[in-house]
Amino acid sequence: MFKEYDKAWAKYQERLALLPIPIISWEFYQLPRAELKEFNEIQKYWSQKVDLAKVKKDKNLTVIVTDCEFKIVFASSNIMQMNGYHYKELTGNSPKMFQGNETSLATTMKIRRAIGKREPFKAILLNYKKNGETYFCEIEAYPKFNAEGTFLNYIAFEKAA
């Protein structure tokens, strides 16, 4: 009986168009190390460093870093769970891409004033997911400077509120 089963299983596998791939070649296997390396490269000139490993212990917390022109240069890989965007889709875009018709103008103005003054801010904003659904996002953001005091980046810690 087992011989017939083995033959049937072998015949089934021959028809499959699958190739075995070693697990070290899968992107998700290498992602945490690549993400940490990318983040550390961005923060290497910051006067105050952030421990991404500590931050990522909170699975609901997403990290977004913008450059001095407020374009996204880094987004943690878990952003997809919050808003449906893959972190690679965000690079080079403004965080304004998450805003829409129902986003509070008063809150966005408060954020703009803080950014203009290079000050930290905390706000809850109605954002839009990739599929168009809305969600409330709690944002806590901090400007990052180098040792000479030159503004380099903003880092935002975000989670669904």
Side-chain angles (χ1 to χ4, degrees):
M1 182 168 136
F2 287 114
K3 283 186 180 183
E4 294 302 315
Y5 175 80
D6 289 341
K7 285 180 188 177
W9 182 251
K11 188 176 180 180
Y12 170 75
Q13 285 185 324
E14 286 174 4
R15 288 185 295 176
L16 295 177
L18 301 175
L19 296 173
I21 300 173
I23 196 163
I24 59 170
S25 67
W26 295 357
E27 182 182 353
F28 72 82
Y29 181 78
Q30 295 181 358
L31 186 62
R33 287 181 293 185
E35 185 176 58
L36 185 59
K37 182 179 178 185
E38 182 183 349
F39 182 78
N40 286 337
E41 185 64 28
I42 290 169
Q43 75 166 339
K44 72 180 179 183
Y45 297 111
W46 294 356
S47 59
Q48 296 177 345
K49 308 287 192 238
V50 173
D51 185 352
L52 185 63
K54 251 186 207 178
V55 171
K56 291 208 54 157
K57 284 184 180 177
D58 181 349
K59 302 280 188 225
N60 299 320
L61 200 61
T62 299
V63 179
I64 295 179
V65 180
T66 61
D67 62 13
C68 59
E69 296 175 2
F70 304 103
K71 301 293 181 192
I72 298 170
V73 293
F74 175 86
S76 56
S77 57
N78 63 344
I79 194 159
M80 189 174 239
Q81 286 82 18
M82 185 169 63
N83 62 23
Y85 287 97
H86 190 274
Y87 68 95
K88 291 180 181 177
E89 293 179 88
L90 303 176
T91 304
N93 290 305
S94 168
K96 291 179 186 178
M97 70 184 285
F98 305 126
Q99 299 172 11
N101 293 337
E102 295 179 38
T103 303
S104 167
L105 186 59
T107 306
T108 57
M109 292 305 293
K110 174 186 161 189
I111 292 171
R112 283 188 194 141
R113 281 192 295 276
I115 288 173
K117 295 177 182 179
R118 307 292 191 256
E119 295 176 342
F121 65 87
K122 187 173 184 177
I124 295 178
L125 197 60
L126 181 72
N127 277 348
Y128 286 77
K129 295 181 180 186
K130 185 176 181 177
N131 65 7
E133 292 178 27
T134 59
Y135 69 101
F136 284 100
C137 182
E138 184 179 331
I139 306 166
E140 194 170 336
Y142 301 90
K144 290 303 194 175
F145 303 91
N146 65 13
E148 292 80 38
T150 305
F151 171 70
L152 299 175
N153 304 93
Y154 251 95
I155 184 168
F157 304 100
E158 302 183 2
K159 63 181 173 182

